[in-house]
Amino acid sequence: LQTRMQSLQPDPKAQYRSVYEALKKIVLTEGFWRPLRGINVTMLGAGPAHAMYFACYEKMKKSLSDTIQHGGNSHLANGIAGSVATLLHDAVMNPAEVVKQRMQMFNSPYKSVLACIRTVQRTEGFGAFYRSYTTQLTMNVPFQAIHFITYEFMQEQINPRREYNPRSHIVSGAIAGAVAAAATTPLDVCKTLLNTQENMALSSVNISGHLSGMVNAFKTVYQLGGIAGYFRGVQARVIYQMPSTAIAWSVYEFFKYFLTKHKLEKRT
């Protein structure tokens, strides 16, 4: 839904006024499973990407907090640790995101994930999978910095003793995801344009070939939609991120608690 709603010059048959209308229209005209196209490639990359992401975050957060605030909770340390963890995470997830978004576009010519990978590789080269990597990092570094700082801040407010408390992890994760998602929507719109290379949108502003680079993407979005163009799909993005970050944090905190408890029991 987010990819479709961020389309800057959509086909008349793929113009949606709201998230609900978009979902209803896609299901009725393109089938029940259409909104989930390309999700298998995302799931394939998500496991190793998140493993590296949380492992790097925990290690760096601890090291930097010891240095900056002598073992206390440092918001600066949380932000830096989250930003560095993003470099590893996005190296795995960026190609998966390119494939997923291309498969979710209206009238997508790709029949399967493998067909999409082969076609993009043959026609645009390997670089196409990383064309939006710098944009992704430019978006995700501030997103993850805001996300981690907000999560740790919320934990300080509602779970100051830092005990395993599923409700506090879900609430903190959802709020952190919503705040970070809303703040970084303009960057996400630019990323979607770079990933999908919408022909109708690019030709209307006399761009031939492939659009590349954050600055060019920002200029093009402004030419096509003005200031409002930067916030296309903000509602869908926030709705998507809230359960996503809530689930990620609650699952992560559960396994962290379970493994730590198991380790302590083994020691005693």
Side-chain angles (χ1 to χ4, degrees):
L1 293 184
Q2 186 182 328
T3 301
R4 293 284 187 95
M5 292 187 79
Q6 284 182 346
S7 179
L8 292 160
Q9 288 209 339
D11 186 287
K13 292 176 186 174
Q15 289 180 338
Y16 315 109
R17 284 190 298 270
S18 68
V19 174
Y20 173 72
E21 190 210 341
L23 183 61
K24 185 180 171 185
K25 203 169 178 181
I26 291 167
V27 169
L28 289 175
T29 58
E30 301 173 55
F32 182 77
W33 298 108
R34 191 63 177 86
L36 298 176
R37 273 202 88 192
I39 199 167
N40 50 347
V41 72
T42 307
M43 289 169 70
L44 198 67
H50 278 79
M52 290 190 294
Y53 174 68
F54 280 115
C56 178
Y57 173 69
E58 278 296 333
K59 183 68 179 169
M60 282 207 69
K61 181 180 80 166
K62 191 177 184 306
S63 302
L64 289 170
S65 289
D66 287 344
T67 307
I68 298 168
Q69 212 160 305
H70 307 294
N73 180 40
S74 164
H75 292 306
L76 178 61
N78 299 334
I80 295 169
S83 301
V84 175
T86 304
L87 296 173
L88 295 174
H89 175 272
D90 287 0
V92 176
M93 288 306 292
N94 201 83
E97 183 78 357
V98 171
V99 174
K100 186 197 78 169
Q101 288 193 324
R102 288 189 182 228
M103 291 188 71
Q104 288 179 343
M105 290 299 286
F106 183 74
N107 275 343
S108 172
Y110 310 109
K111 296 284 182 282
S112 68
V113 167
L114 204 59
C116 180
I117 293 168
R118 282 175 178 162
T119 306
V120 173
Q121 168 70 40
R122 189 177 67 249
T123 58
E124 299 176 48
F126 181 75
F129 295 108
Y130 281 95
R131 191 180 287 128
S132 66
Y133 184 55
T134 51
T135 310
Q136 180 92 328
L137 289 177
T138 309
M139 179 188 76
N140 276 356
V141 165
F143 177 93
Q144 296 302 354
I146 296 166
H147 172 207
F148 282 107
I149 289 167
T150 307
Y151 178 81
E152 299 287 358
F153 173 77
M154 287 303 301
Q155 282 292 285
E156 278 184 347
Q157 306 309 307
I158 62 177
N159 186 19
R161 294 176 66 183
R162 295 306 180 99
E163 296 170 334
Y164 174 62
N165 183 334
R167 189 179 295 176
S168 83
H169 303 316
I170 289 168
V171 171
S172 298
I175 292 171
V179 171
T184 56
T185 298
L187 296 161
D188 195 48
V189 172
C190 294
K191 184 199 77 174
T192 298
L193 181 61
L194 286 168
N195 275 351
T196 56
Q197 299 288 318
E198 289 177 65
N199 291 327
M200 283 175 69
L202 297 180
S203 60
S204 71
V205 286
N206 298 320
I207 294 174
S208 55
H210 297 299
L211 180 71
S212 63
M214 173 62 102
V215 175
N216 290 334
F218 252 94
K219 285 178 183 173
T220 307
V221 170
Y222 186 76
Q223 282 177 280
L224 289 161
I227 297 295
Y230 292 120
F231 290 92
R232 286 185 71 91
V234 65
Q235 187 188 7
R237 182 163 159 77
V238 169
I239 290 169
Y240 166 77
Q241 283 296 345
M242 283 181 78
S244 173
T245 46
I247 292 165
W249 277 110
S250 56
V251 171
Y252 171 68
E253 294 283 8
F254 167 75
F255 278 103
K256 185 178 166 184
Y257 165 76
F258 176 78
L259 294 170
T260 307
K261 187 185 171 195
H262 185 66
K263 203 173 178 181
L264 286 169
E265 281 173 357
K266 277 184 80 176
R267 278 181 187 171
T268 53

